[in-house]
């Protein structure tokens, strides 16, 4: 069942049940209250009749005329009987016929409205002279005589009003439920269609919903964000595939050309030519290892060999091995390393971090280039900063600098070479040690990398 139909049916059912319950209870309570009110009024009227006849009986010297009693009984639609203290009947209305002599029109009216005719009841009142009882007044009446034609019309009108109101409310509920269902389902259908298009591969499809419902707007924004993220991941995946094929193609092409030259007899398999082949094989091995380490970044914490060691000494030793290489290229390394910083981490991974950073920096230094390395510690963390005055990185490239295979020099100049995996691997190692890495760079002026590592892991 469609959501719109399900919502509409549920709304209608809820409205219908609510209206029936409210109408039934309200009608029942109002009718009961109204009938109770009429019954109380009837008892008040009977008591008033008793008082008036008692006054009239006293004023007339305890004598009443039959005509007066009949007239009073007919006017009030009751049966009247007066007895003495010995229970002898002195006066009676309607020639003593009781219920048969009264309420004929009332009974016809009750039958017309399908209401029970009621029961004949007698009410006894003492006739008093001062405080002395001199006789007894019997008033006979029909128990539901208070249901006059006006009262019945009022009750019927009330019931019809509830019925008409219920019908009107149902139609109003139908319209409201249809509008509400449409306002909820149309945006959801748009979001669903967007999701279907994304599943088919159209990641540029956007969900544009027109609604004031906050949750639906958030859902629409989420599906749009998901599409944008998937599109970015798809572009990255395609770029990875292109970069991997490019990185592998170059050494493989070199190996193939050299081997073909040896097979064709153009080159002799001497030491120089074999060394060239070995270098290309080493390059392939390095690329494969870097690729494996990069894609297994989430598993690094499983293979870390953590020990407690002097980070300051280890950092100095690692930097010392690079000084000849920098000197040979006409560059220099300056350091400011705080002494005796103890850390718990994988010692080899620290070396790998510095190896990647220093190897990366040397590729982008200009003539007379310089790298400045600092290490400071506080109560909880160690902070490594590697800053250079090289060519820097354009601002547009900074968000992608830690992505696998990403290189800001799209021309793939062999002089700056590399696989584009170095910074990605560094980031993976740092995060595996619960640390953070950040990069600041200004194109044409240089780059600074800040690494924060917890002293206790």
């Amino acid at each position: 069942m469609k959501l719109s139909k399900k919502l509409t049916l549920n709304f209608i059912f809820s409205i219908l049940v609510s209206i029936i319950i409210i109408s039934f209870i309200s009608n029942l309570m109002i009718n009961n209250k109204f009938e109770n009110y009429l019954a109380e009024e009837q008892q008040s009227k009977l008591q008033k009749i008793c008082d008036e006849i008692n006054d009239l009986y006293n004023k007339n010297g305890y004598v009443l005329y039959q005509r007066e009693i009949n007239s009073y009984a007919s006017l009030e639609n009751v049966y009247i009987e007066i007895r003495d203290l010995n229970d002898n009947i002195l006066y009676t209305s309607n020639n003593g016929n009781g219920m048969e002599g009264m309420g004929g029109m009332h009974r016809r009216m009750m039958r017309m409205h399908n209401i029970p005719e009621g029961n004949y009841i007698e009410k006894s009142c003492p006739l008093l002279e001062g405080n002395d009882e001199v006789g007894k007044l019997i008033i006979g009446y029909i128990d539901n005589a208070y249901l006059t034609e006006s009262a019945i019309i009022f009750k019927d009108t009330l019931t019809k009003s509830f019925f008409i109101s219920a019908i009107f409310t149902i139609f109003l509920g139908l319209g409201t439920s249809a509008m509400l269902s449409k306002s909820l389902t149309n945006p959801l259908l748009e979001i669903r269609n967007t999701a279907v298009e994304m599943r088919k591969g159209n990641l540029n499809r956007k969900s544009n919903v027109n609604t004031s419902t906050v949750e639906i707007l958030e859902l629409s924004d989420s599906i749009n964000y998901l599409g944008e993220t998937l599109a970015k991941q798809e572009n990255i995946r395609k770029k990875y595939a292109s970069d991997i094929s490019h990185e592998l193609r170059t050494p493989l092409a070199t190996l193939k050309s050299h081997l073909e030259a040896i097979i064709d007899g153009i080159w002799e398999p001497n030491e120089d030519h074999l060394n060239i082949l070995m270098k290309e094989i080493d390059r392939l091995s390095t690329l494969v290892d870097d690729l494996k380490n990069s894609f297994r970044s989430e598993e690094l914490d499983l293979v870390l060999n953590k020990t407690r060691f002097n980070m300051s000494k280890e950092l100095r030793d690692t930097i010392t091995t690079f000084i000849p290489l920098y000197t040979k290229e006409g560059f220099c390394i300056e350091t400011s390393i705080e002494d005796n910083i103890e850390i718990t981490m994988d010692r080899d991974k620290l070396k790998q971090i510095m190896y990647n950073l220093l190897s990366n920096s040397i590729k982008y230094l200009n003539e007379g280039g310089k790298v400045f390395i600092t290490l400071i510690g506080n109560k909880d963390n160690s902070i490594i900063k590697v800053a250079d005055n090289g060519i820097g990185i354009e601002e547009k490239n900074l968000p992608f600098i830690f992505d696998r295979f990403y290189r800001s020099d799209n021309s793939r100049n062999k002089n700056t070479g590399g696989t584009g995996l170095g910074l990605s691997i560094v980031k993976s190692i740092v995060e595996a040690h619960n640390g953070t890495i950040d990069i600041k760079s200004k194109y044409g002026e240089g780059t600074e990398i800040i690494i924060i590592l917890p002293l206790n892991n």
Side-chain angles (χ1 to χ4, degrees), residues 311 341-343 345 375-384 436 451-455:
M311 186 182 193
I341 296 178
E342 295 288 327
I343 191 170
M345 67 174 294
L375 171 65
I376 58 175
N378 54 36
K379 182 180 179 181
D380 300 314
N381 301 305
S382 63
I383 303 171
I384 302 173
T436 60
I451 296 174
I452 300 176
L453 292 169
L455 296 177

Side-chain angles (χ1 to χ4, degrees), residues 30-169:
I30 292 175
N31 274 298
N32 286 340
K33 287 288 185 181
F34 182 60
E35 289 193 15
N36 290 336
Y37 167 76
L38 293 177
E40 291 174 0
E41 286 293 308
Q42 185 184 50
Q43 293 301 317
S44 298
K45 183 182 75 171
L46 294 175
Q47 185 61 47
K48 183 179 179 181
I49 292 173
C50 288
D51 295 340
E52 289 178 353
I53 291 178
N54 191 85
D55 291 341
L56 183 63
Y57 192 59
N58 288 331
K59 288 178 181 180
N60 290 344
Y62 311 110
V63 175
L64 287 175
Y65 296 102
Q66 186 69 42
R67 179 175 54 82
E68 292 177 333
I69 296 175
N70 290 341
S71 177
Y72 211 96
S74 176
L75 180 65
E76 299 295 344
N77 196 27
V78 295
Y79 167 72
I80 296 176
E81 184 178 279
I82 295 177
R83 299 186 181 191
D84 59 18
L85 293 177
N86 296 320
D87 208 27
N88 295 316
I89 297 175
L90 301 178
Y91 303 98
T92 181
S93 65
N94 298 320
N95 297 319
N97 291 330
M99 185 176 179
E100 296 298 327
M102 56 173 290
M105 182 177 294
H106 176 75
R107 292 195 298 274
R108 288 194 298 273
M109 182 183 67
M110 301 300 278
R111 287 195 295 268
M112 185 185 303
H113 291 280
N114 296 318
I115 300 174
E117 294 181 8
N119 301 313
Y120 176 77
I121 300 175
E122 289 184 345
K123 177 181 176 67
S124 177
C125 301
L127 293 175
L128 302 173
E129 182 182 358
N131 294 326
D132 299 327
E133 185 176 349
V134 296
K136 184 166 54 176
L137 174 64
I138 306 295
I139 301 176
Y141 63 97
I142 300 173
D143 59 357
N144 62 355
Y146 55 79
L147 290 176
T148 63
E149 186 171 7
S150 298
I152 293 174
I153 291 174
F154 173 80
K155 290 181 65 175
D156 290 343
T157 302
L158 183 65
T159 302
K160 289 178 182 177
S161 298
F162 277 116
F163 180 75
I164 294 172
S165 299
I167 297 297
F168 177 77
T169 306

Side-chain angles (χ1 to χ4, degrees), residues 430-444:
V430 170
E431 291 180 348
H433 286 85
N434 300 316
T436 60
I437 183 170
D438 190 22
I439 187 167
K440 298 177 181 178
S441 185
K442 192 168 183 180
Y443 188 66

Side-chain angles (χ1 to χ4, degrees), residues 156-318:
D156 290 343
T157 302
L158 183 65
T159 302
K160 289 178 182 177
S161 298
F162 277 116
F163 180 75
I164 294 172
S165 299
I167 297 297
F168 177 77
T169 306
I170 288 173
F171 280 107
L172 181 63
L174 281 172
T176 303
S177 62
M179 292 176 58
L180 182 59
S181 174
K182 185 177 180 181
S183 67
L184 290 175
T185 56
N186 283 355
L188 292 177
L189 286 174
E190 170 65 17
I191 294 172
R192 185 205 66 177
N193 293 336
T194 301
V196 170
E197 288 295 317
M198 290 169 58
R199 185 178 64 186
K200 292 178 180 178
N202 182 13
L203 299 178
N204 294 321
R205 171 68 183 267
K206 299 292 182 184
S207 171
N208 297 312
V209 297
N210 183 18
T211 179
S212 59
T213 306
V214 174
E215 290 79 5
I216 295 180
L217 285 174
E218 290 177 349
L219 179 60
S220 177
D221 293 340
S222 297
I223 202 73
N224 288 338
Y225 177 77
L226 176 62
E228 293 173 1
T229 303
L230 290 175
K232 289 179 181 179
Q233 292 298 321
E234 180 66 13
N235 291 334
I236 291 173
R237 186 187 65 80
K238 291 178 180 178
K239 189 174 184 300
Y240 283 174
S242 174
D243 289 341
I244 291 172
S245 63
H246 174 85
E247 296 296 340
L248 293 175
R249 188 183 300 114
T250 302
L252 287 175
T254 302
L255 285 171
K256 182 180 179 181
S257 63
H258 284 62
L259 288 173
E260 286 177 347
I262 292 174
I263 292 172
D264 293 340
I266 299 174
W267 280 2
E268 292 184 3
N270 54 37
E271 184 178 353
D272 291 338
H273 292 156
L274 292 176
N275 282 334
I276 294 174
L277 297 178
M278 183 58 69
K279 287 180 181 179
E280 294 301 323
I281 292 173
D282 290 340
R283 184 181 175 193
L284 275 174
S285 297
T286 301
L287 176 61
V288 171
D289 289 340
D290 286 350
L291 183 61
K292 179 185 67 175
N293 290 334
S294 177
F295 279 97
R296 290 183 60 196
S297 60
E298 69 279 3
E299 301 175 5
L300 283 174
D301 58 334
L302 301 178
V303 295
L304 294 178
N305 182 24
K306 295 182 180 180
T307 58
R308 189 76 176 176
F309 61 91
N310 189 320
M311 186 182 193
S312 305
K313 181 179 182 303
E314 196 65 39
L315 202 59
R316 287 193 184 97
D317 292 344
T318 303

Side-chain angles (χ1 to χ4, degrees), residues 13-26:
F13 177 76
S14 301
I15 292 171
L16 190 60
V17 171
S18 300
I19 289 173
I20 291 174
I21 293 174
I22 293 172
S23 299
F24 175 77
I25 294 176
S26 300

